[in-house]
Amino acid sequence: MQEQSVLLARQAILNRKGHIEAYSILYPDNKLSDLESSNNLLHALITDLDLDIVTNNTKAFIDISIDVLLKPPAFSLDNYVLFFSAPSPFPDSLIEHIALLHEDGYKLGLINATPDSVPLGIMPYISYVKFNLKEMGLRNTIKLLDDPFYKDVCLLANQINLSQHNDAAQQIPKITLFSGNFHTAKEDIQGKKTHLYKALVIEFLAKVNESNSNITDLAAIIEKDATLAYKIMKLTKRAPSYQNFQVSSVQRALEVIGLRDVMKWFSMAVFNAIDGKPDCLCQMALTRAMFCQLVAKKLYPNEAHAFIVGLFSYLPSFFGESIEQLLNDIPLDKNLSVALTQFKGPLGNILKIVQQYERGQWDSLPLEALSQAGLDQAQMKTLYIESIKQAKELQF
């Protein structure tokens, strides 16, 4: 079999408690027509995939074509769920084939399945049904779910891009899994704590930018909030490069970190301290920041602020304001502000590439230009997985 390097990204699937239940694995659509090429592509994806790292020991949900379903590659059956769209018409022979796959231990899911499009006889072999709300519509999906056709499957609402749509989907008891960009969307956030953290970010940045800033003054700002002080001490103890140091106070933590990296660690601690968000959100922000940093080392080795740009791109998700509104108050360097608001400059270019990769927007990625700059597909995937590893090391 010809070796292929397949780009991949992941999207979190949350349960009703906001905890990660699984990850959808995003990868480029196969443009080749023959079955062997399709199978080779999926095989390369699966055999290349370090599942424990990418999915953090949860399940991997992968969309496949009917052609691949007819001759799926062998892999560890416990960790994968294969999703497919029902053909029209639905042949009896396919029902028999799916029954055999079920007996062999494959876990299968249907995409946008309705009682009119799928024969009832297939449902005993189906574990999940995924509704892409962008295609199906929330109201149409709600109407469908009264049908007993869905009574024995786990239902996933996918492509939820607005928090109010997630709220509506949460009101439907039959839907137990949720996926989309709703947890990164800007929404109004109530409560004094969030406003306190925003004020501390503004004060901290202003102090960092002073020519005579010092560790004692910065520690005093952090110590205004006990949760934040605890988080930055604990985060410092988690970092592999700092584990040999004794950290018993905020000031000692900042001394270990050093002024050069203090904004990076302070921002991570703030994101960790904010309550009321899905547990995956901080992990996603940290992974993006790490990915930006790793890509910057390849494309712009002298660019030192890629991590902060990646992390701060999540500010709207945590503080409930647009990035433009936030940067009116936060005294951030102009190059960073332009990168965050307009994707301009080296930092803006890095952020744009990273976001396109995360979202699986493969056709938008400047792959040829990246390859010419010394960053080919295999390296991009390696950096992405490495960013997941590094983010996981710091998560608590």
Side-chain angles (χ1 to χ4, degrees):
M1 186 193 320
Q2 183 180 0
E3 243 181 78
Q4 302 183 54
S5 180
V6 182
L7 293 170
L8 67 92
R10 66 180 188 177
Q11 185 175 59
I13 297 170
L14 309 184
N15 60 24
R16 288 190 163 274
K17 295 181 179 179
H19 299 151
I20 297 172
E21 190 84 12
Y23 282 98
S24 285
I25 304 301
L26 311 178
Y27 64 102
D29 291 335
N30 184 22
K31 307 298 183 185
L32 303 172
S33 57
D34 59 291
L35 176 59
E36 183 180 359
S37 296
S38 298
N39 268 321
N40 288 356
L41 186 74
L42 188 60
H43 185 276
L45 171 73
I46 291 169
T47 54
D48 263 357
L49 186 58
D50 193 334
L51 193 70
D52 290 344
I53 293 170
V54 175
T55 66
N56 201 19
N57 298 309
T58 64
K59 291 189 182 302
F61 287 8
I62 303 180
D63 291 357
I64 62 170
S65 67
I66 284 292
D67 287 340
V68 174
L69 182 70
L70 291 172
K71 192 179 178 183
F75 46 78
S76 174
L77 300 176
D78 291 339
N79 299 322
Y80 290 85
V81 181
L82 301 180
F83 283 83
F84 65 98
S85 298
S88 180
F90 201 108
D92 290 341
S93 59
L94 184 56
I95 299 178
E96 295 170 5
H97 176 72
I98 288 171
L100 291 174
L101 290 178
H102 179 75
E103 286 182 15
D104 288 341
Y106 284 87
K107 292 184 178 64
L108 303 174
L110 282 163
I111 302 171
N112 295 339
T114 67
D116 295 331
S117 65
V118 176
L120 187 60
I122 196 179
M123 295 311 288
Y125 315 119
I126 300 298
S127 302
Y128 297 85
V129 172
K130 172 169 65 175
F131 293 103
N132 293 334
L133 296 188
K134 196 173 178 180
E135 301 168 17
M136 297 284 288
L138 183 60
R139 291 183 181 178
N140 290 337
T141 301
I142 291 172
K143 290 178 183 177
L144 282 172
L145 297 186
D146 288 333
D147 197 295
F149 177 81
Y150 302 102
K151 65 183 179 69
D152 294 322
V153 294
C154 180
L155 299 178
L156 162 63
N158 189 40
Q159 296 180 343
I160 307 175
N161 295 326
L162 296 173
S163 56
Q164 55 263 42
H165 288 172
N166 180 57
D167 293 340
Q170 291 273 356
Q171 299 305 311
I172 307 169
K174 292 181 180 178
I175 297 178
T176 57
L177 299 177
F178 309 85
S179 183
N181 296 323
F182 62 93
H183 40 56
T184 62
K186 179 186 78 67
E187 59 180 315
D188 293 332
I189 300 174
Q190 304 298 323
K192 295 179 180 178
K193 270 285 190 184
T194 303
H195 297 302
L196 167 64
Y197 290 137
K198 180 184 172 183
L200 289 177
V201 169
I202 294 169
E203 184 180 0
F204 195 87
L205 260 173
K207 182 61 68 175
V208 166
N209 290 333
E210 290 180 2
S211 58
N212 61 344
S213 63
N214 60 74
I215 294 293
T216 302
D217 291 342
L218 295 174
I221 295 172
I222 294 172
E223 288 169 346
K224 290 181 180 181
D225 181 72
T227 302
L228 184 58
Y230 167 76
K231 292 287 185 182
I232 202 162
M233 289 171 61
K234 188 170 182 180
L235 193 58
T236 306
K237 291 177 180 179
R238 286 278 296 180
S241 54
Y242 300 141
Q243 285 177 351
N244 293 329
F245 293 90
Q246 293 296 320
V247 177
S248 56
S249 68
V250 172
Q251 181 162 331
R252 178 56 181 156
L254 298 188
E255 288 170 353
V256 169
I257 294 166
L259 281 173
R260 187 173 66 102
D261 289 331
V262 71
M263 192 62 221
K264 176 196 299 187
W265 292 87
F266 171 76
S267 303
M268 286 191 286
V270 168
F271 282 10
N272 262 292
I274 295 175
D275 292 326
K277 287 290 183 178
D279 61 354
C280 65
L281 191 59
C282 190
Q283 182 186 31
M284 291 166 65
L286 191 53
T287 300
R288 177 181 291 176
M290 294 289 188
F291 196 19
C292 284
Q293 181 173 271
L294 292 171
V295 170
K297 286 180 180 178
K298 292 287 186 179
L299 299 182
Y300 307 102
N302 296 324
E303 185 52 73
H305 300 294
F307 185 97
I308 287 294
V309 165
L311 199 64
F312 274 31
S313 66
Y314 268 86
L315 282 173
S317 304
F318 285 93
F319 290 118
E321 298 178 45
S322 70
I323 192 67
E324 290 80 8
Q325 289 173 309
L326 287 163
L327 295 183
N328 282 336
D329 299 327
I330 296 175
L332 204 59
D333 178 86
K334 184 179 179 181
N335 289 333
L336 276 68
S337 296
V338 170
L340 286 163
T341 56
Q342 301 175 40
F343 297 101
K344 288 186 176 180
L347 290 171
N349 188 39
I350 290 167
L351 181 60
K352 185 176 182 180
I353 289 168
V354 164
Q355 289 186 344
Q356 287 170 338
Y357 189 102
E358 288 175 338
R359 294 165 183 167
Q361 296 171 344
W362 314 115
D363 292 338
S364 300
L365 274 173
L367 293 175
E368 186 174 343
L370 288 171
S371 183
Q372 290 174 355
L375 196 54
D376 61 22
Q377 291 192 35
Q379 290 174 311
M380 280 293 288
K381 184 176 71 172
T382 297
L383 295 183
Y384 179 71
I385 293 175
E386 181 61 27
S387 70
I388 293 173
K389 288 181 186 176
Q390 293 185 14
K392 184 178 179 182
E393 287 177 352
L394 292 174
Q395 191 183 5
F396 60 94

